[in-house]
Structure formats: structure tokens, C-alpha cells
Amino acid sequence: MKVSVLGIACLRVFWELLAFECKKFNECNVYPREKMRSALVFEFNDADFPRKSYETKQYKKGLKAADAILKKFPEHGETLSMKGLTLNCMDRKSEAYELVRLGVKNDIKSHVCWHVYGLLYRSDREYREAIKCYRNALRIDPDNIEILRDLSLLQAQMRDLTGFVETRQQLLTLKPNHRMNWIGFAVSHHLNSNGSKAVEILEAYEGTLEDDYPPDNERCEHGEMLLYKTFWCSFVYDIILQISLLEECGSFERALAEMHKKESKIVDKLAYKEQEVSLLVKIGRLEEAAELYRALLSMNPDNYSYYEGLQKCLGLYRDNGNYSSGEIDELDALYKSLAQQYTWSSAVKRIPLDFLQGEKFREAAFNYVRPLLTKGVPSLFSDLSPLYDQPGKADILEQLILELEHSIGTTGKYPGREEKEPPSTLLWTLFFLAQHYDRRGQYDVALSKIDEAIEHTPTVIDLYSVKSRILKHAGDLAAAAALADEARCMDLADRYVNSECVKRMLQADQVSLAEKTAALFTKDGDQHNNLHDMQCMWYELASGESYFRQGDLGRALKKFLAVEKHYADITEDQFDFHSYCLRKMTLRAYVEMLKFQDRLHSHAYFHKAAAGAIRCYIKLFDSPPRSTTEEDDDKADLPPSQKKKLKQKQRKAEARAKKEAEGKNEESSASGVSKSGKRHVKPVDPDPHGEKLLQVEDPLSEATKYLKLLQKNSPDSLETHLLSFEVNIRKQKILLALQAVKHLLRLNAEDPESHRCLIRFFHKVDLMTAPATDTEKLIWSVLEAERPAISQLQEKSLIEANKFFLHKHEDSLMHRAAAAEMLFVLETNKKSEALKLIEDSTNNLAPTNGALGSVREWKLRDCIAVHKLLETVLAEQDAALRWKARCAEYFPYSTYFEGKRSGMYNTAYKQMLTNPENGSASQAGVSADAIASNGKLEAFKNLAIST
């Protein structure tokens, strides 16, 4: 129906009059709110302008439009909600929540108000509350696609898989012509462990497509969907494995047939071949799979997984690496033929080193090592280091490299070769030998080799980095930091070398110097915020460990919890991919991402951070900080003059902190405000030293939060259950402590820490009073039932079990120390006997055939642990001094034991401390004589990074 211009004008006048009347009735509170909303729509040409401004991030315009509407209709719920949502985007959260709640109150039957309320909660990561709001909105408007889509994203994020399936099904019902709804419904069933249903949905979707589908611009997305489908045909096989082997094989055949049928429509041919060969192996068609693996090797002959797959097809693969002599001969022949075919491949030469033995291994190692030494590949030792875990191969490598060193040093050629080698070949041979002897614990020989290499070519940065690593292993952490800084100053633009230097400084507890060095590669020198924003977790972990060693629990806890926050942010970052991956059809990557997120907290960095935080809370519980009242009592005893000085110092410190905070605020405000009206303000840390983190009422309850995460995600880690025992034994949770002991015995009953926990636990149980309450009687009955089931205590007292453990491991230092400590715990009057157990330990030679010296069994970290045991638990200072003197002979470079060579490499370090600004001209005053022994080039000190 056509409407004239005059008619439109008349309608406009009519609705303006209606709006006027609406306003009058609204002021008298007699006009229905639903009619007011209708009048509002016609009052403005575009009443939806606030929402559009929000979607286009024009927050100031949206705010102005909302104010204009609210000026006439101050109780309009939807406009109040949209204004609140806009203010939330402008970092005015308190006002935003107030307005949105008022909007919901004024118009509780509006799905828009509830939807906006959910969006507000979602922005603050309150996903459960957001889901409640979305469900309230859907009660009012059950077919709203936007709300359903937002709800499905939150359900996927929270892994509410049953609800996710229902929501995706509703979306598909409402909009069946949308590809994303079909794919989302299939993915929801797959995530809900219903792979067969997912395949049926994808097949039903394919049935709706035309024969010439897809067009050229959608071929990649459609091919990805087909690969995803075949992938989940094989997934169905894994599910049906529990029911019937025949049905499983049928699913694999079906997946393979589907792939062959749709081959022309799959664009990613490499992924197609990899998926096909995987299915062929699972079906058992190994000959076809072997041919396909050979075809894949022709495409990429350096892919180790292809060689492994080929070995499996030929029946020549063992997970443990133990092969019979016949299998070794077959493998040797296989890789020789492959080496002739792929002469440029590195993998085909490296893999045989894992299974060859004796003279064949020596010959293959020579052929592999020789060109890499000539080329000068610094990572050669890292490549060969796994071979050191196989008996005898480290000795063969040592003899081989020593022969090469002697031949190159005397003749300049490899043994049996006529070609002259470049001078750098000797350098990299010495470089390899230094790392070899460092790995075997022969630090004297390692240092002599690396010094010889530095004397040969003093401008190679890797030499100083390796020398720093050797000194760290030898126990001279300060000198290791100095050598790492020496390497850094030779290339001030290398971030990796800078990071390695920072790590060495943190290991030497030089935190302030490490911060200044790290600041050279941060924006405007703001290293704290910048490193935190970059999620530089290795730095925060190393800093936390350093602060913990120094007893600064507040800063240590702050660093560990910062890492935990990074993992929370990574978990939140997956939210945007729930819609993106379905839209872009990256389905396999999406599934792998979700699997990765589900096991995210099992990552090593999170484990270290959580364990560090738990240790901080345990130490905080054992040694709580002094309260302010106690400090005030101490101050009251001071004379008036000292009180006055103390107050002056406090006032100066407060004024300095206030000035720094104001300066930071000025810098942040200078950045201005964006066009959208959102302020870009750098947050100022209100607790830079972590003092507030120490003010917890119950440290053990805080530790329990992180302990539960470790128990869920790292159940096979010994440290997890050691921490569980320490926390629960302090909380008097006897059964939970018993559970931790049982886990320790399950994982490694012969570990010294497991033995300590076992004896400590049952010694505490023996000292418990008789049970009085029903709960205590129940706990007692459980303990009586469990104790006989522990093999270490069967028909033995705790003293007898400790003696048996000592007799079983009498040649191990750490086992003897654990037995001695438990002897003292069980019988405190036998301290002298416990000391004798430790001091009678012998440092035997390790079973190796090192050509340039013997290697002893004791490790530096173990000897340090024993020294701390003598000092703290046994509290015997004379014995601790005797132990220190004894270990100083075994570890002459150790600064902890004050070895006779521990100061040999410290001259440059002492000079470095007097000039803390690394990498700047301020270090030009360091004398060349003081650092010449380390090969430092003074000219590099004057270089600075240009910004």
C-alpha cells in the first residue's frame, strides 16, 4: 500500500500529539508503560539510535541520544539499560550497574533489559549470572535469535554441554537456512560425546546442498567441514570401541569411503593425506598406509612423525626404544635406502642414532656430526642430548669428539679426510665438548674447554652463554650472571640474550638489576606493567622464586598469583573463538583449542606458580607476620628521639610514594581520551609489594584453592601430593593427609619425600589422643583399616620401617638423610646417631667411563638440602660446618659452600654491581684488566639500544 507525503505528515502530527498526551499521563502515573513504549517509538525518527551507537562504539553519541529520550521519559527501562551498557564501555561500571538494575526494575517484562543485564555481567566475566539473565530474557521472547546465540556462547564457555545442545537445536529450528546453525548443532553434539549424531547432522546438512556446491569462494570452508566430518567418523570408532570391534571397524571404513567420495571438494590436500593414512593404519591396511607415508615423506622428508608412522606400518616401531638385533638391522637398511633418496634430509640421518649400537652408532654419529661442526650449528649438543640417557652412547660420543678435536687441532683435517677444515670447526668442536662435560658434571674440564674456545674466537656470543650455564651448574650463580651480562653486552639488540641474562640474574637473587636489564626491551622503561601485559611468565616465576628464597613472601606471592591470572585470561580468551571458528569453519582447530583449554591448568608454568603460591601460604601460616599492635608496642619502647626520626622517615616515604603515584597518573592521563569516549588509563598498582596479600585470615584456606587445581590437573605429580600432605596435616585433616600419603606411595614409594610423609603421618597418628566424638571414632576406624594395607608398615613398627628403608637405600645420600631425619623425629634422644648416618655417607664414583676424569654421584642441590637439614631440623651447627667444609672440596665453584674457586670468575661481577645501568655508557669505567680473563670486549659496553 502506497502512502502519500501528506499522509506521512499527518501521521507524524498525530503521533506527536499522542506522545504529548503520553507524557501527561505518565506524569500522573496512569498511562500504561507498554503504551508509553509505543508512543516513544514514534516520538523519535530513530528510537533505536542508542543501540546502534553502542554497536558502532560511538559511545558519546549514544549517551547523548539516551539522555534526550530519558529527558522526556525518565522511567523508560530499555533506554536506561542501554545508557548503562554504554557507560560500562566508558569504564563507569558503578553507574552502569545502577542504571541497568533500574531499567530492569522499571520494565521487568522487557527482554531487552534482561539481555543488557546479561551483557553487563558477561563483560565482568560473571558468566553464570549472565546465563540467568539470558534465560529470563528468553522467557519473555523465546525465539530471539540474538539472545539464543549469546546464550550458546556462554554455555560453550562454561561447558554446559547439555544446554549447549538444546540452544543450538533451537537456533537451527528458527533459522534452518543458515550454515552456521547446522555446524554449531553438529559441534554441540560432538562436544557432548555424541559423535554419531554429529555425523548424521553433517550428512543432513550436505543433503540440503546442490550438486555444484560449493562455489569457488567457499571451497576452503566446505573442505574443512568434510575433513571435520571424516575426523568424527573416526571419533565414532573410538566411542563404539566399548561396544563392538566389528562396529568400530565399520565406522573407519565409512570414514575412509567418505573421504574418497569427497576428495575433489577438499582443498587442503596435505591434511587429506594425513587423515587418510591415519584411517588406513587404524583399519589395518598397512601396506597402503606405508606407500602413503612414503608419498608424504617425498613432500616433507624432515617430518619425524612420517618416519614413525612408516616404522609402525612395517612393524619396526617400539615405544620404549628397545629393538632386537634383527630389527636394528632392518631399520638400518630402511634408513640407508631413505638416506639415498633424501640426501638433504637431516631427520633421516638423526633418527638412526636412536637405535644403532656400538660401532655402527659411532660411524653414523661421525657422519651426522661432521658436517654440522663444519657448518657451525650451535644447537648440535641440544640435538644429541637425548642420546645421553642411553647407556654407553655418551662415552662413544666423547671419544669420537675428542678424536676430532685432536685431529683438527694438529692437522686441521678430520681423521681420514684430505680436505682442510676452516678454523671455526675447532671452535665448534670445543663448544660441543664444553657442553658435553657440563652435562656429565665435570665442570673443571668443561670450563677449560670453553675458555680455550673463547681464546680461539673471543667474539662469539654463544661461548659466553654456555660458560654462564656451566658456572650456574657448578654453583657460582653470581659469576654466571656476570658472564650472561657479558654476552648481552656483545649484542644489545638481541632480546633472547637479554632474557637469558635476566634469568641468570634472578637465579643469583639480583632482582633489582634484573628488572633494570629487562627494562631495556620494554616500552618507556615501564617493565612491571609491560612484562605483565605481555604475559611474560618465565620472568614472573623466576622473580617469585627469587623473592621466596630471600624471604619476601609478599612480592613472591604477587608474582605467583600474576601467573595464575594469566591462565585465567587465557581461559577467557577462548570466548571470542566460539563464534569465530563456526563462522570461518575452522572446526578441527576449534576442537583442538577446546581440548587444550580443558587441560590448560596442567601446563608446567601453572603448576610452578600454584605450587609456589601454596609454599608461600604454608610459610605464612608457619611464621605469620607481626600485627600492627605488636609493632606499635615495640615503637612505644623507643626513646623520643628515635620515635621522631621514625615518624619523619614514614612521612618522607609516604610523600615519595604519593609523588610517584601522581606522576604515573599524569602520564596516563596525558594519553587522552579516544573518540569513543573511553579513557585509556594505565592502572596504578595499589599494592606493589604484595603487603595486602599477606593480610589473609586463613592462609591454608587460600592454599587449598590452588591445591584443588593441582589435584585436578596434575594428579600424577609427586609435588602435588607432597603439598597436599603439608597443607592438610597443618589443617588437622587427617583423612585427607592419609589420602596424600597413599598417592605418594602409589607414584613412588621409594622416594625420600614419600618416606618422610609416611613416617611423619603415622607418628602423628600414634600421638593422637583416644577418640571421643563419633567423628573421631570414625576417623580412627578408617586409620586402623588402612594401616595394614600399606606394605611398608606391614608387621613393622615405625622405627623398624625406617631401618628397613635405610638398609634398602644405604648408598644414597638423600635416602640416608631422610632416614636420619625420621630417626630424630621418632627418637629425639638419638640425634648423634642421626648425625652419624649423614656424615658417614660416601660420595662414590658414578658408573661412567669419562676419558678426562671421574664423576661423583652427589649433586649440588642435594648437598645444599642436607646442609639446611643439619642447620634447621637437627639444629647442629658444628655438624653443618663440617658438612660445608666437606662439600666445598666436592664443589669448588659453589658460592653456597664457599669453594676455593668460587671467586675466580667474580671480578667482572663486582665491577658490574658498581655500575648498575647495564648496556649504557655508564659502564665505560670498568677496567679492561678486571674483565680480560673472561674475554669481555670493553668496546661493546659503550653501545646502547636506540629507540
Side-chain angles (χ1 to χ4, degrees):
M1 181 179 67
K2 295 183 180 180
V3 181
S4 65
V5 176
L6 179 61
I8 294 174
C10 293
L11 284 172
R12 185 179 295 253
V13 172
F14 171 78
W15 286 116
E16 284 180 358
L17 291 171
L18 182 61
F20 176 76
E21 292 297 322
C22 170
K23 183 179 179 182
K24 281 192 350 182
F25 279 110
N26 184 55
E27 289 172 355
C28 298
N29 294 319
V30 297
Y31 199 82
R33 193 166 284 131
E34 291 78 4
K35 292 186 179 180
M36 184 185 76
R37 187 186 301 121
S38 301
L40 180 66
V41 172
F42 291 96
E43 172 67 26
F44 296 91
N45 291 330
D46 193 357
D48 208 24
F49 190 74
R51 183 181 65 83
K52 291 183 177 179
S53 300
Y54 166 77
E55 291 174 351
T56 56
K57 298 186 179 180
Q58 296 177 340
Y59 302 129
K60 282 190 173 181
K61 290 183 178 180
L63 200 58
K64 191 179 292 184
D67 287 336
I69 298 173
L70 292 173
K71 190 174 180 180
K72 294 189 176 184
F73 303 99
E75 293 186 6
H76 188 253
E78 293 179 2
T79 307
L80 286 168
S81 298
M82 286 307 305
K83 181 180 178 181
L85 191 60
T86 305
L87 289 174
N88 180 63
C89 297
M90 299 171 71
D91 293 331
R92 295 162 64 179
K93 288 190 175 293
S94 58
E95 297 176 63
Y97 271 100
E98 186 179 347
L99 284 170
V100 173
R101 288 185 181 120
L102 183 61
V104 173
K105 180 182 176 182
N106 290 346
D107 200 352
I108 199 169
K109 292 185 178 180
S110 169
H111 70 276
V112 174
C113 294
W114 283 109
H115 190 192
V116 169
Y117 203 8
L119 291 173
L120 203 62
Y121 274 124
R122 192 184 79 178
S123 68
D124 288 338
R125 300 179 179 178
E126 296 285 346
Y127 294 141
R128 297 193 184 281
E129 295 299 322
I131 289 175
K132 292 178 185 177
C133 293
Y134 289 160
R135 291 194 181 281
N136 285 332
L138 288 172
R139 289 192 186 99
I140 301 165
D141 187 4
D143 294 337
N144 190 299
I145 290 178
E146 286 187 9
I147 302 175
L148 285 168
R149 190 182 299 120
D150 287 346
L151 176 61
S152 71
L153 299 181
L154 288 184
Q155 288 169 331
Q157 178 79 5
M158 299 299 293
R159 302 298 190 271
D160 178 13
L161 301 179
T162 304
F164 186 41
V165 170
E166 294 173 358
T167 306
R168 295 308 313 190
Q169 184 174 8
Q170 194 172 353
L171 279 168
L172 179 60
T173 305
L174 292 172
K175 214 168 186 181
N177 59 340
H178 199 333
R179 179 185 67 181
M180 184 175 168
N181 291 338
W182 284 93
I183 302 302
F185 189 37
V187 169
S188 68
H189 275 289
H190 149 212
L191 295 178
N192 201 30
S193 302
N194 194 353
S196 58
K197 188 69 175 178
V199 173
E200 290 176 13
I201 294 166
L202 291 176
E203 288 178 345
Y205 168 66
E206 288 182 68
T208 65
L209 303 177
E210 298 177 0
D211 294 337
D212 58 349
Y213 189 86
D216 291 339
N217 61 341
E218 294 185 17
R219 289 190 66 203
C220 289
E221 289 86 347
H222 188 69
E224 174 67 26
M225 190 269 288
L226 294 175
L227 285 172
Y228 173 77
K229 177 185 172 184
T230 56
F231 173 73
W232 280 107
C233 281
S234 62
F235 172 80
V236 175
Y237 176 86
D238 295 331
I239 295 296
I240 300 177
L241 181 61
Q242 304 168 7
I243 305 172
S244 167
L245 185 61
L246 293 174
E247 197 170 350
E248 295 163 0
C249 293
S251 296
F252 268 127
E253 293 281 1
R254 179 184 170 194
L256 189 61
E258 187 72 23
M259 286 195 70
H260 291 160
K261 180 180 176 182
K262 305 293 184 180
E263 180 180 1
S264 60
K265 295 185 178 182
I266 297 175
V267 178
D268 190 347
K269 297 302 180 184
L270 178 61
Y272 173 85
K273 289 181 181 296
E274 290 177 343
Q275 188 70 40
E276 182 183 14
V277 76
S278 174
L279 291 171
L280 286 170
V281 170
K282 291 174 181 177
I283 291 171
R285 292 157 63 175
L286 299 181
E287 292 184 4
E288 297 177 55
E291 290 301 319
L292 193 49
Y293 270 123
R294 291 181 186 275
L296 287 168
L297 282 172
S298 65
M299 299 168 65
N300 183 5
D302 281 316
N303 191 316
Y304 279 67
S305 63
Y306 295 164
Y307 290 102
E308 181 182 316
L310 180 59
Q311 286 183 222
K312 288 180 179 178
C313 292
L314 299 176
L316 297 174
Y317 181 79
R318 300 289 180 271
D319 290 327
N320 56 11
N322 296 327
Y323 297 95
S324 64
S325 58
E327 290 174 333
I328 291 175
D329 292 338
E330 289 184 55
L331 284 170
D332 189 24
L334 170 66
Y335 278 94
K336 281 181 178 177
S337 65
L338 291 172
Q340 293 176 357
Q341 193 173 354
Y342 309 116
T343 55
W344 66 93
S345 171
S346 174
V348 78
K349 300 169 187 172
R350 170 62 183 86
I351 294 174
L353 299 181
D354 291 330
F355 57 80
L356 291 176
Q357 302 291 335
E359 193 59 35
K360 286 187 176 181
F361 170 78
R362 179 188 173 88
E363 181 183 354
F366 174 73
N367 293 330
Y368 183 73
V369 165
R370 181 175 50 81
L372 298 180
L373 289 176
T374 302
K375 189 182 295 184
V377 179
S379 60
L380 175 59
F381 180 79
S382 299
D383 183 17
L384 297 180
S385 59
L387 299 175
Y388 283 66
D389 296 329
Q390 300 184 28
K393 289 191 176 180
D395 295 332
I396 296 174
L397 283 174
E398 181 176 327
Q399 295 167 6
L400 173 63
I401 303 299
L402 285 174
E403 288 179 13
L404 296 180
E405 180 204 14
H406 177 72
S407 178
I408 296 168
T410 54
T411 66
K413 306 173 184 176
Y414 282 123
R417 301 279 174 170
E418 295 298 327
E419 302 87 0
K420 197 84 172 174
E421 290 297 316
S424 61
T425 304
L426 178 60
L427 166 71
W428 296 111
T429 305
L430 293 169
F431 184 72
F432 184 94
L433 281 173
Q435 295 176 88
H436 165 81
Y437 287 115
D438 176 42
R439 170 70 181 259
R440 307 197 82 173
Q442 297 170 257
Y443 303 119
D444 285 327
V445 185
L447 286 169
S448 67
K449 294 295 181 184
I450 201 65
D451 284 337
E452 189 178 346
I454 290 174
E455 184 179 357
H456 183 280
T457 309
T459 56
V460 179
I461 299 174
D462 298 282
L463 302 179
Y464 299 91
S465 297
V466 165
K467 186 175 182 180
S468 169
R469 195 176 303 124
I470 295 169
L471 285 170
K472 184 199 78 167
H473 296 157
D476 196 343
L477 299 178
L483 264 294
D485 186 64
E486 195 168 336
R488 180 189 68 81
C489 291
M490 296 174 71
D491 188 355
L492 296 173
D494 192 324
R495 183 190 287 267
Y496 172 78
V497 178
N498 179 276
S499 299
E500 192 172 29
C501 175
V502 171
K503 190 174 183 180
R504 293 285 177 266
M505 289 174 175
L506 292 173
Q507 289 166 348
D509 294 336
Q510 303 167 15
V511 182
S512 59
L513 192 58
E515 287 179 353
K516 292 177 181 179
T517 307
L520 297 173
F521 279 90
T522 57
K523 294 180 181 178
D524 303 324
D526 186 13
Q527 67 270 23
H528 294 291
N529 290 331
N530 192 254
L531 289 170
H532 180 78
D533 293 341
M534 291 192 298
Q535 298 183 344
C536 190
M537 287 185 269
W538 68 263
Y539 173 81
E540 290 169 329
L541 286 172
S543 299
E545 293 290 348
S546 178
Y547 282 128
F548 183 80
R549 288 192 296 269
Q550 298 175 65
D552 192 345
L553 294 183
R555 294 189 183 188
L557 199 53
K558 190 173 181 66
K559 293 296 183 182
F560 290 135
L561 296 185
V563 176
E564 189 272 336
K565 186 180 182 304
H566 293 327
Y567 278 86
D569 292 340
I570 293 170
T571 301
E572 300 303 328
D573 288 343
Q574 69 174 306
F575 184 84
D576 293 332
F577 290 97
H578 296 310
S579 59
Y580 174 85
C581 292
L582 294 181
R583 188 170 68 252
K584 294 294 184 179
M585 294 292 288
T586 55
L587 303 178
R588 290 176 299 155
Y590 175 59
V591 171
E592 291 301 319
M593 185 271 292
L594 292 179
K595 288 182 179 179
F596 166 77
Q597 289 286 351
D598 290 339
R599 61 177 185 271
L600 178 66
H601 290 89
S602 62
H603 193 270
Y605 276 4
F606 179 82
H607 182 95
K608 290 179 182 178
I614 293 169
R615 284 188 277 114
C616 287
Y617 284 122
I618 290 174
K619 196 170 183 180
L620 187 61
F621 175 83
D622 294 340
S623 305
R626 301 181 66 187
S627 63
T628 54
T629 55
E630 292 175 347
E631 292 177 357
D632 292 339
D633 293 340
D634 291 344
K635 292 177 184 177
D637 298 334
L638 294 174
S641 60
Q642 292 187 7
K643 285 183 182 179
K644 188 176 180 181
K645 289 180 180 178
L646 189 61
K647 288 181 180 178
Q648 287 177 348
K649 286 183 179 179
Q650 288 177 347
R651 280 197 294 268
K652 287 181 180 179
E654 289 174 0
R656 194 183 305 114
K658 186 178 179 182
K659 189 175 180 181
E660 290 177 359
E662 288 175 354
K664 289 180 179 179
N665 286 331
E666 288 176 3
E667 291 176 5
S668 60
S669 61
S671 59
V673 180
S674 66
K675 293 181 180 179
S676 62
K678 188 172 182 178
R679 296 175 181 271
H680 296 289
V681 180
K682 290 183 179 179
V684 178
D685 191 351
D687 186 25
H689 304 308
E691 294 173 355
K692 293 181 181 178
L693 295 173
L694 300 179
Q695 299 170 4
V696 291
E697 295 182 1
D698 188 1
L700 294 182
S701 66
E702 295 294 324
T704 304
K705 295 178 184 177
Y706 301 101
L707 180 60
K708 288 179 179 178
L709 286 171
L710 289 183
Q711 289 173 327
K712 179 182 178 181
N713 297 283
S714 302
D716 295 330
S717 170
L718 205 68
E719 186 180 22
T720 297
H721 303 294
L722 287 172
L723 292 170
S724 174
F725 175 80
E726 296 295 343
V727 170
N728 289 306
I729 205 71
R730 285 167 172 79
K731 292 175 70 176
Q732 305 298 322
K733 301 287 187 181
I734 301 300
L735 293 183
L736 290 177
L738 173 62
Q739 184 185 56
V741 170
K742 292 181 68 176
H743 281 303
L744 289 170
L745 296 176
R746 172 182 61 84
L747 292 172
N748 188 356
E750 305 304 322
D751 189 271
E753 294 299 332
S754 300
H755 177 70
R756 278 191 176 95
C757 293
L758 175 67
I759 300 299
R760 281 175 56 197
F761 176 78
F762 282 103
H763 179 60
K764 181 179 179 64
V765 170
D766 291 343
L767 296 177
M768 289 170 59
T769 57
T773 64
D774 292 339
T775 303
E776 291 176 351
K777 290 178 181 178
L778 181 62
I779 294 173
W780 198 265
S781 63
V782 172
L783 293 174
E784 288 181 344
E786 290 289 339
R787 186 164 184 164
I790 298 175
S791 59
Q792 288 80 2
L793 299 179
Q794 285 179 350
E795 300 179 358
K796 297 188 191 79
S797 65
L798 295 180
I799 296 175
E800 292 172 342
N802 193 47
K803 288 181 179 178
F804 180 79
F805 181 81
L806 174 63
H807 178 72
K808 193 174 182 180
H809 304 284
E810 58 184 356
D811 294 331
S812 169
L813 171 64
M814 295 308 292
H815 288 81
R816 290 178 71 93
E821 182 183 352
M822 292 303 100
L823 175 62
F824 177 67
V825 169
L826 295 172
E827 299 176 279
T828 54
N829 59 338
K830 292 189 176 181
K831 180 190 284 190
S832 58
E833 188 176 337
L835 292 173
K836 191 174 185 302
L837 280 177
I838 294 175
E839 293 183 323
D840 286 351
S841 303
T842 55
N843 192 6
N844 301 319
L845 295 175
T848 57
N849 300 319
L852 293 181
S854 58
V855 182
R856 296 191 176 272
E857 290 181 339
W858 288 3
K859 304 297 180 185
L860 176 60
R861 63 176 180 273
D862 295 340
C863 292
I864 292 174
V866 172
H867 181 260
K868 290 179 179 179
L869 172 67
L870 293 170
E871 272 191 327
T872 56
V873 179
L874 298 178
E876 193 65 35
Q877 299 303 319
D878 293 338
L881 289 174
R882 291 195 299 271
W883 182 260
K884 188 173 184 178
R886 183 180 178 186
C887 291
E889 298 178 4
Y890 294 131
F891 307 100
Y893 295 96
S894 171
T895 53
Y896 183 89
F897 291 119
E898 300 177 359
K900 58 185 178 181
R901 300 179 188 173
S902 59
M904 181 180 294
Y905 294 94
N906 274 346
T907 307
Y909 165 64
K910 292 176 182 177
Q911 292 289 335
M912 181 177 64
L913 288 181
T914 62
N915 298 279
E917 294 296 332
N918 292 5
S920 64
S922 63
Q923 284 200 348
V926 182
S927 63
D929 296 335
I931 54 179
S933 61
N934 290 333
K936 182 176 284 186
L937 299 181
E938 187 62 22
F940 288 103
K941 283 287 187 180
N942 297 323
L943 299 178
I945 298 176
S946 59
T947 55

